[in-house]
Amino acid sequence: MPADHTRRLTGRRLLTALPVAEWVRGYRRGLLRGDVLAGLTVWALIVPESVAYAEIAGVPPQNAFYAAPIALVGYALLGGSRFLVVGATSAAAVLSASTVKGVSGDPGAAVGLSAALAVIVGAVLVVAGAARLGFLTNFLAEPALVGFLFGMALTIMVRQTGKILGVSSGEGDFFQRLVKLLSQTGDWSWTTIAVGVAAVGSLLLLERLLPRLPASLIVLAAGLILSQALHLSDHGVQTVGRIPAAVPVPHLPGISSADWAELAAGSLGVALVVFAESYSIAGRFARLHGHEVKADREMVAMGAVNLGVGFFRGFAVSGSASRSAAAEGAGGRSPMVSLVAAGLVLLTGAFLTSLFTPLPEAVLGAIVIVAVKGFLRVGELRRYATHDRPSLWIAVTALVGVLVFDLLPGLLLAVLLSLLLFIAYSSTPRVAVLGLLPGTGVWGDLKEHPRAVAAPGILVARPDGALFFGNVNRVRTAVKELVAASDRPPRAVVVDLTASYRLGLPVLDTLADLAADLDHQGVELHLARVRARPTRALSRHPLHATLSPDRLHPTVTDAVDALSDGWGPA
């Protein structure tokens, strides 16, 4: 076979293996109108928000135009969700800024450092996705994420309030910035305040009364027109200034090896939030439309997108809830939406950036403040307070951690709380006492099924969770306490291991200790429902000699039958 034919065949196979092939093959002409309208809607949101988020990330506005088309096209080619729109977001931008400032406070270095951070975040996600580590985001508990995002939104708001007041919010955590703003009351620009308050009010009214219109683009256009007509810059209102034409061109981040190493330390937190935010949004739309998104594939896709963005002088990007919802509401039904929006953003960056020169900074601040208000999930905190106090304390602790210690330490605190919550739940499984439901052959929890009947002289116990080194000793103690609390000591204990798919050495050692403890009391330990993999592990442990051949049973019924000659309630 000729070499050129082989290369064409290999290229065709690679193309069909890409996720883009899935939606392109099934694309129908009838979807085009809705996708184009949705693309226009996304473009109308991306242009003002990306400029605002570039400022949050600490990079010039034109870098938003470098990043946006790459992110949109990259996810359309590689992503598994038909509805997710990827680009600059408040969470990714503010975490990028915090990480970069931890390496260098020099504004001139921010572009290279931000791009390098995006590359590192992308590489981390690609490697993690290839290693099938997408499940790790399941350990970031929702209450911790709610609290973190709430605190992040307040931190962003206090930073942007400085633009609306016409003063600097300074440096430091939320409270330090708030004190700084309040200490400058004599320097507040009332003209700037009027512009900012009018912009916030207009955005809120448009969202409430005309939700289908691109409120941020309308307010941005109004701000530009009024700024020129009223010469607001002559009245002390700060404006964006000149933005160079912005066409994405490949560019390697020119930073030192020491800076790469320092950025790597903070990249894990950024990668976690980028993926968690994107995957949760993609999953929400997938459930709504009866689709599925695979965590590992999404992780690789978001990683590849951030790698691409980093090599085009962009900054870290993520899935956007507001733009995805707006696209779906406008009739978008495929990644064609992102391709249409990418083309429009390219045209804007190439030919229209000069239009943003007179844009008041207060308008950008207003757009960001209104955009992040959705993270202030007061209703969710109330729900935790009513139904789940531990979740409330986790959310509040994460929130306060962000406000007091800043974003990255607050994120680490949220992750730590999530792990502690997981460990707490996993290490304290309830041990249920089972009885037979008459006429069914089913063994149920005596506390949940009043009709269930306990086998006479036999204690049937079931740990409601998989046994592992962190909880097996608690289960051992609970079984011994159940035996001690019995009116008449049972002659045997049957432990139902239905939930355990693996038995490590610490578990087997502790079960051996339990068997010895019970034997000293004249009580036999029997095991039921030991699955195939645990059975192989058990066969190599000394406990196997203690239990075989009469104390291992396929089911609880088999165990009770063997101990009581076919007992069963009438």
Side-chain angles (χ1 to χ4, degrees):
M1 184 179 293
D4 59 338
H5 181 72
T6 303
R7 283 194 295 270
R8 285 198 300 270
L9 188 59
T10 302
R12 195 177 301 120
R13 286 174 179 169
L14 287 172
L15 184 61
T16 55
L18 290 174
V20 63
E22 295 180 16
W23 67 265
V24 167
R25 278 197 297 263
Y27 195 78
R28 304 188 308 274
R29 185 179 298 178
L31 297 175
L32 187 59
R33 181 176 180 276
D35 285 349
V36 170
L37 289 175
L40 286 165
T41 302
V42 169
W43 167 78
L45 292 171
I46 282 178
V47 170
E49 288 182 0
S50 292
V51 172
Y53 294 150
E55 292 207 7
I56 291 179
V59 299
Q62 62 266 26
N63 287 75
F65 292 105
Y66 298 147
I70 303 302
L72 290 165
V73 173
Y75 190 80
L77 295 176
L78 301 173
S81 171
R82 300 196 173 195
F83 297 91
L84 186 66
V85 176
V86 174
T89 65
S90 54
V94 75
L95 283 172
S96 175
S98 295
T99 307
V100 166
K101 279 191 176 180
V103 176
S104 172
D106 179 10
V111 170
L113 291 171
S114 299
L117 177 62
V119 170
I120 297 172
V121 166
V124 167
L125 289 175
V126 168
V127 171
R132 300 185 180 277
L133 299 180
F135 69 91
L136 289 176
T137 53
N138 296 330
F139 296 102
L140 183 57
E142 181 67 14
L145 193 57
V146 167
F148 167 74
L149 293 175
F150 201 121
M152 185 201 71
L154 291 177
T155 301
I156 291 172
M157 284 179 170
V158 79
R159 292 178 179 181
Q160 297 303 309
T161 299
K163 294 179 180 178
I164 291 179
L165 299 177
V167 295
S168 169
S169 63
E171 298 294 332
D173 60 42
F174 172 84
F175 296 104
Q176 291 171 325
R177 289 176 181 271
L178 184 60
V179 169
K180 175 74 171 177
L181 290 175
L182 295 176
S183 68
Q184 301 177 83
T185 52
D187 298 324
W188 290 1
S189 168
W190 295 101
T191 306
T192 304
I193 291 172
V195 172
V197 170
V200 170
S202 300
L203 287 165
L204 295 175
L205 278 174
L206 285 169
E207 284 187 358
R208 184 177 181 83
L209 301 178
L210 300 168
R212 288 188 172 275
L213 294 181
S216 56
L217 186 65
I218 292 171
V219 170
L220 180 142
L224 287 170
I225 293 169
L226 291 174
S227 178
Q228 283 190 307
L230 301 177
H231 304 287
L232 292 179
S233 60
D234 295 337
H235 299 278
V237 177
Q238 293 293 319
T239 58
V240 170
R242 180 178 173 273
I243 301 176
V247 177
V249 176
H251 189 275
L252 293 176
I255 65 172
S256 67
S257 56
D259 287 342
W260 281 100
E262 285 193 66
L263 286 172
S267 65
L268 294 179
V270 184
L272 179 63
V273 170
V274 162
F275 178 66
E277 185 178 24
S278 303
Y279 184 61
S280 64
I281 298 166
R284 197 183 313 154
F285 282 107
R287 290 189 296 273
L288 185 64
H289 292 276
H291 299 151
E292 290 291 335
V293 287
K294 298 176 181 178
D296 297 328
R297 190 167 89 171
E298 287 302 291
M299 190 172 266
V300 171
M302 288 307 304
V305 166
N306 275 279
L307 274 170
V309 164
F311 286 122
F312 282 83
R313 289 181 292 180
F315 50 95
V317 296
S318 179
S320 168
S322 59
R323 284 169 230 150
S324 300
E328 190 233 13
R333 291 295 179 270
S334 82
M336 182 65 74
V337 172
S338 293
L339 297 180
V340 172
L344 293 171
V345 173
L346 278 171
L347 291 174
T348 304
F351 303 109
L352 302 178
T353 55
S354 60
L355 295 178
F356 295 95
T357 300
L359 179 65
E361 291 276 5
V363 172
L364 285 181
I367 289 171
V368 173
I369 287 173
V370 173
V372 301
K373 73 178 180 4
F375 291 130
L376 304 178
R377 298 172 64 183
V378 177
E380 192 70 1
L381 295 182
R382 286 201 192 106
R383 193 166 72 95
Y384 293 153
T386 303
H387 301 291
D388 190 353
R389 285 298 178 89
S391 291
L392 173 66
W393 289 118
I394 288 171
V396 170
T397 304
L399 191 164
V400 173
V402 171
L403 297 183
V404 174
F405 302 113
D406 212 356
L407 290 164
L408 285 176
L411 175 61
L412 293 177
L413 180 60
V415 172
L416 177 61
L417 287 171
S418 300
L419 292 175
L420 290 176
L421 182 65
F422 168 72
I423 292 169
Y425 284 158
S426 301
S427 62
T428 55
R430 178 172 171 271
V431 177
V433 178
L434 306 185
L436 185 62
L437 289 166
T440 66
V442 175
W443 292 82
D445 188 338
L446 289 174
K447 290 187 176 180
E448 295 179 0
H449 302 280
R451 294 176 55 245
V453 180
I458 304 170
L459 173 68
V460 180
R462 182 190 65 208
D464 288 341
L467 295 185
F468 71 107
F469 66 89
N471 65 14
V472 66
N473 200 53
R474 285 179 178 268
V475 171
R476 169 178 169 267
T477 302
V479 170
K480 291 176 65 178
E481 289 174 350
L482 288 170
V483 171
S486 300
D487 295 333
R488 297 178 60 183
R491 66 179 185 275
V493 170
V494 177
V495 177
D496 180 1
L497 294 179
T498 301
S500 295
Y501 290 83
R502 182 180 183 277
L503 296 178
L505 279 176
V507 174
L508 293 170
D509 290 343
T510 305
L511 289 176
D513 292 341
L514 176 61
D517 292 341
L518 293 177
D519 279 342
H520 289 155
Q521 302 175 51
V523 180
E524 291 184 353
L525 175 66
H526 291 247
L527 300 181
R529 297 290 301 275
V530 183
R531 298 178 182 275
R533 184 175 179 183
T535 297
R536 289 194 294 271
L538 178 60
S539 67
R540 298 188 292 270
H541 193 274
L543 177 62
H544 189 266
T546 303
L547 298 178
S548 292
D550 304 321
R551 299 194 195 180
L552 290 172
H553 309 278
T555 67
V556 171
T557 299
D558 290 328
V560 173
D561 286 347
L563 287 163
S564 56
D565 298 324
W567 168 87

